[in-house]
Amino acid sequence: MKPKFLITSLTGCSGCIATIMSLDVSPQLLERSKLSYFPFMSDIKTIENIDIALIEGCVSEESQIEHLKTVRKNAKKVYALGSCAAFGGILNLSTKKDAEPISNYIEIDGIIPGCPIPANLLGNCLIRLIENKEIILSEKNLCDSCPLRGNIEHDFDYKINKLYPNPDEIVSPEENSECFLKRGILCLGPVIRDGCEHICIKKGIPCEGCMGPVSKDFTANIVNFLSLVKLSKDLKGYDGIFYRFSKPKFNW
Amino acid sequence: MKKVIEVCTRIEGHAKVNIFLENQNDEISYVDFEISAYRGFENILLKKKLLDIPKIASRICGLCHVSQSIASCKAIENLYELEPSEQSVLLRRLLMIGELIKSHSMHFFFQSFPDLINIFNINNNRELLLPYKLIKDYPQITSNFFDLIKIGNEIDKIFGGRAIHSITLIPGGLVYTPSKKNTILSRRYFQKALTNLEFLIEKFIEFFSNQVPPTEYMLPNPIYLALHDQKTYDRYTGLLGIKKKNNKTVNFFGKNYSNYFDKDINLRGINFNLDENVLVGPLARNKIVENYGLDETSSYLSYFDNNWKNNILFGSFIRLIEMFAEVKKGLEILDDPLLNKKEVLPSLNSIQNSDGIGYVEAPRGILLHHYHLNRENSVDQVKLFIATEINIPLINEMITKYAQKLYEKEDINSVKKKIQMIIRSFDPCVSCATH
Ligand code: SF4
Ligand code: SF4
């Protein structure tokens, strides 16, 4: 029996769903599963007997809660697709709008984080779901296997005064393999989950944290990290560094 | 008045149509296409650091993210009075081409093609409600489109560092010097895309050029707005043109946009001081740009008469033509020796202007970002002008007229279903519109 999928979106950018459509394994997925509800490309409006539900986007409107509950009631497994659904996502930066992770309203079976979800990670997760296996996420932080790792001395105590390097200071890891923190540039690697293959860092851009927290108690990690580095006054007063994609705590 | 609500399917994001009935439900008074769940990016971007803004703006939309970031970078470059290098511009253009291929192909295959097949009864009355049923009936067309989606994706991955929400797009330029290997790979992708597009364009001509498009889909003489470079197709640079009913085009610099249109950020919608509704996107570009600079495109276009050319359904063909023209352009860029030169990006030090305006033609039409700085050089006002938002009044005009006429002979369910075909032919981007 082919597993029946539902893919739906709440408040987001559709980037995670667009990622599904261009995966290398996409044709294989279409063959091995049945898409029963996917408004993006089908006219079917009924939600029933779903094996695997993938939900993109955060909850920002009351009207979305009912839809979410219908999905939960009719699906064996429900996963948060992307950082919006998992942690609230970029809308956490808003002072006017709510951006709630779906796990605040329904029980979920797991998250597949990223903004957008890294293609390899998503492909692997989807294949595992089709094979009725649990998805696997790394439990390590981004520093653990970072290409700039070699030079980190673990008694940080760095003075951090920049969110990003000025364009003329951007260098690839091959040209300069010094850790961003050592250069006085903030990188969220220490508190962020590994799994993106360090794509930003490889381009000479520090991590902005799109994969979300490596543990459920994000705040504790951040406090710990901040005790090791000295943020400039300017950065201390800047909104949305750590809670850009996520909230302090989660239910999942 | 009674209100009938229908949730739209096969569009990007969540939207619905509200049909208002009057006279004991005998007549349709009006119909409106409603998008809700506004996210408020104009607010989110306030007080943000200038280097941070394009990264956040990219998250407005997972389909037009390249356009969002580039419009944002350009607005910031305008604040610094800085022009990115020629190399950076070429690289940005490649990213835009990748984005266009992916976005247009997804629209064509999942949204417009199944509708076209139904409207013209190509498949002998067999309804193709589910696009993946197309896979069975049209395997070659399907695989051609899947290839194109993939190609657009790979091009953006190569030049953007990842396929969606590019890492390399920053104010001042683009972080990346392509390796030889990647240039060769990209050339192969574009060559493949060209073959696929030739096939698809010929198929479109074979299926539809002898058909007469239904009058319900005729455009009601709107005003067209698009970017162009001296009447040549260009989505990165040039003047904005507004083409009115009398066929005259008024051209202006984007920085003077507020003489032509503006918005109140507390209200939805964009105000034009014009009598007719405005259309932006592929068809508007086609009306304003006189040529795509290629013999092939002129000969492809010559298969269709004015019934087609003034019909919103023709947008689907123009999307194929634009992909074709841009892939050719992409191949030229890849041959440019400037592309592989190692460059240091400029330093962003002193702000020169308190207003920064940046714009590009996104796949769905003009996209303009305007940031204002206060005395402390902190962003205190943001205005985003987004294609789908501009098109909504015209969408409403067309679906209302169509629904009223249809309701004289068909029931409300049929109305609900058929007006969605008009909506889909506009390729609305709900993510962008709910910025
Ligand atoms: S997680 Fe990022 S890519 Fe995915 S829907 Fe949200 S904003 Fe878009
Ligand atoms: S380096 Fe950080 S911001 Fe970049 S993709 Fe990885 S987790 Fe996301």
mmCIF file of all heavy atoms in Angstrom, chain A residues 142 192-193 196 198-201 207-211, chain B residues 162, ligand 2:
data_model
loop_
_atom_site.group_PDB
_atom_site.id
_atom_site.type_symbol
_atom_site.label_atom_id
_atom_site.label_comp_id
_atom_site.label_asym_id
_atom_site.label_seq_id
_atom_site.Cartn_x
_atom_site.Cartn_y
_atom_site.Cartn_z
ATOM 1 N N LEU A 142 25.994 23.321 15.127
ATOM 2 C CA LEU A 142 26.620 23.558 13.833
ATOM 3 C C LEU A 142 28.143 23.615 13.932
ATOM 4 O O LEU A 142 28.854 23.269 12.993
ATOM 5 C CB LEU A 142 26.083 24.886 13.281
ATOM 6 C CG LEU A 142 26.115 25.074 11.783
ATOM 7 C CD1 LEU A 142 25.339 23.989 11.085
ATOM 8 C CD2 LEU A 142 25.522 26.439 11.424
ATOM 9 N N ILE A 192 22.782 26.441 17.235
ATOM 10 C CA ILE A 192 21.898 26.023 16.154
ATOM 11 C C ILE A 192 22.164 24.570 15.758
ATOM 12 O O ILE A 192 23.288 24.090 15.798
ATOM 13 C CB ILE A 192 22.072 26.982 14.947
ATOM 14 C CG1 ILE A 192 21.593 28.380 15.326
ATOM 15 C CG2 ILE A 192 21.368 26.486 13.693
ATOM 16 C CD1 ILE A 192 20.138 28.487 15.753
ATOM 17 N N ARG A 193 21.091 23.891 15.345
ATOM 18 C CA ARG A 193 21.202 22.481 14.995
ATOM 19 C C ARG A 193 21.967 22.279 13.683
ATOM 20 O O ARG A 193 21.750 22.987 12.709
ATOM 21 C CB ARG A 193 19.807 21.877 14.851
ATOM 22 C CG ARG A 193 19.814 20.354 14.730
ATOM 23 C CD ARG A 193 18.470 19.826 14.291
ATOM 24 N NE ARG A 193 17.399 20.069 15.263
ATOM 25 C CZ ARG A 193 17.090 19.230 16.248
ATOM 26 N NH1 ARG A 193 17.765 18.116 16.401
ATOM 27 N NH2 ARG A 193 16.099 19.520 17.064
ATOM 28 N N CYS A 196 22.573 21.547 7.834
ATOM 29 C CA CYS A 196 22.452 22.332 6.602
ATOM 30 C C CYS A 196 23.688 22.209 5.732
ATOM 31 O O CYS A 196 23.792 22.838 4.688
ATOM 32 C CB CYS A 196 22.232 23.801 6.947
ATOM 33 S SG CYS A 196 23.686 24.514 7.745
ATOM 34 N N HIS A 198 26.465 23.483 6.411
ATOM 35 C CA HIS A 198 27.216 24.745 6.574
ATOM 36 C C HIS A 198 27.218 25.610 5.331
ATOM 37 O O HIS A 198 28.225 26.245 4.997
ATOM 38 C CB HIS A 198 28.663 24.457 6.990
ATOM 39 C CG HIS A 198 28.779 23.657 8.243
ATOM 40 N ND1 HIS A 198 28.694 22.283 8.247
ATOM 41 C CD2 HIS A 198 28.939 24.037 9.532
ATOM 42 C CE1 HIS A 198 28.809 21.841 9.485
ATOM 43 N NE2 HIS A 198 28.949 22.891 10.288
ATOM 44 N N ILE A 199 26.099 25.652 4.630
ATOM 45 C CA ILE A 199 26.112 26.351 3.343
ATOM 46 C C ILE A 199 26.434 27.834 3.454
ATOM 47 O O ILE A 199 27.115 28.374 2.586
ATOM 48 C CB ILE A 199 24.788 26.146 2.556
ATOM 49 C CG1 ILE A 199 23.570 26.268 3.467
ATOM 50 C CG2 ILE A 199 24.810 24.842 1.800
ATOM 51 C CD1 ILE A 199 22.264 26.044 2.751
ATOM 52 N N CYS A 200 25.961 28.515 4.485
ATOM 53 C CA CYS A 200 26.266 29.955 4.599
ATOM 54 C C CYS A 200 27.748 30.151 4.898
ATOM 55 O O CYS A 200 28.430 30.956 4.262
ATOM 56 C CB CYS A 200 25.425 30.588 5.715
ATOM 57 S SG CYS A 200 23.659 30.481 5.374
ATOM 58 N N ILE A 201 28.214 29.396 5.883
ATOM 59 C CA ILE A 201 29.603 29.516 6.323
ATOM 60 C C ILE A 201 30.566 29.256 5.165
ATOM 61 O O ILE A 201 31.573 29.941 4.999
ATOM 62 C CB ILE A 201 29.833 28.552 7.503
ATOM 63 C CG1 ILE A 201 29.072 29.128 8.706
ATOM 64 C CG2 ILE A 201 31.308 28.357 7.811
ATOM 65 C CD1 ILE A 201 28.733 28.153 9.772
ATOM 66 N N CYS A 207 26.255 32.118 10.324
ATOM 67 C CA CYS A 207 24.937 31.479 10.465
ATOM 68 C C CYS A 207 23.944 32.422 11.119
ATOM 69 O O CYS A 207 24.229 33.016 12.155
ATOM 70 C CB CYS A 207 25.084 30.223 11.316
ATOM 71 S SG CYS A 207 23.505 29.456 11.689
ATOM 72 N N GLU A 208 22.761 32.546 10.510
ATOM 73 C CA GLU A 208 21.704 33.367 11.116
ATOM 74 C C GLU A 208 20.681 32.493 11.842
ATOM 75 O O GLU A 208 19.654 32.974 12.306
ATOM 76 C CB GLU A 208 21.014 34.240 10.063
ATOM 77 C CG GLU A 208 20.440 33.451 8.919
ATOM 78 C CD GLU A 208 19.493 34.237 8.006
ATOM 79 O OE1 GLU A 208 18.961 35.269 8.415
ATOM 80 O OE2 GLU A 208 19.281 33.757 6.880
ATOM 81 N N GLY A 209 20.935 31.190 11.850
ATOM 82 C CA GLY A 209 20.131 30.334 12.715
ATOM 83 C C GLY A 209 18.880 29.725 12.121
ATOM 84 O O GLY A 209 17.958 29.353 12.844
ATOM 85 N N CYS A 210 18.858 29.560 10.806
ATOM 86 C CA CYS A 210 17.587 29.150 10.205
ATOM 87 C C CYS A 210 17.173 27.716 10.543
ATOM 88 O O CYS A 210 16.017 27.374 10.440
ATOM 89 C CB CYS A 210 17.587 29.394 8.696
ATOM 90 S SG CYS A 210 18.330 28.093 7.728
ATOM 91 N N MET A 211 18.132 26.875 10.978
ATOM 92 C CA MET A 211 17.757 25.498 11.335
ATOM 93 C C MET A 211 17.115 25.416 12.718
ATOM 94 O O MET A 211 16.614 24.369 13.116
ATOM 95 C CB MET A 211 18.980 24.579 11.299
ATOM 96 C CG MET A 211 19.426 24.172 9.912
ATOM 97 S SD MET A 211 18.307 22.965 9.144
ATOM 98 C CE MET A 211 18.681 21.495 10.084
ATOM 99 N N ARG B 162 22.151 28.390 -2.241
ATOM 100 C CA ARG B 162 21.066 27.430 -2.029
ATOM 101 C C ARG B 162 19.920 27.858 -2.947
ATOM 102 O O ARG B 162 19.850 29.025 -3.369
ATOM 103 C CB ARG B 162 20.659 27.327 -0.559
ATOM 104 C CG ARG B 162 19.730 28.377 -0.072
ATOM 105 C CD ARG B 162 19.347 28.159 1.384
ATOM 106 N NE ARG B 162 19.250 29.461 2.027
ATOM 107 C CZ ARG B 162 19.314 29.670 3.326
ATOM 108 N NH1 ARG B 162 19.480 28.667 4.150
ATOM 109 N NH2 ARG B 162 19.219 30.887 3.815
HETATM 110 S S1 SF4 C 2 24.533 28.162 8.237
HETATM 111 FE FE1 SF4 C 2 22.859 28.722 9.658
HETATM 112 S S2 SF4 C 2 21.582 30.161 8.526
HETATM 113 FE FE2 SF4 C 2 22.864 29.106 7.014
HETATM 114 S S3 SF4 C 2 21.629 27.371 6.314
HETATM 115 FE FE3 SF4 C 2 22.887 26.647 8.015
HETATM 116 S S4 SF4 C 2 21.583 26.872 9.837
HETATM 117 FE FE4 SF4 C 2 20.685 28.135 8.185
#
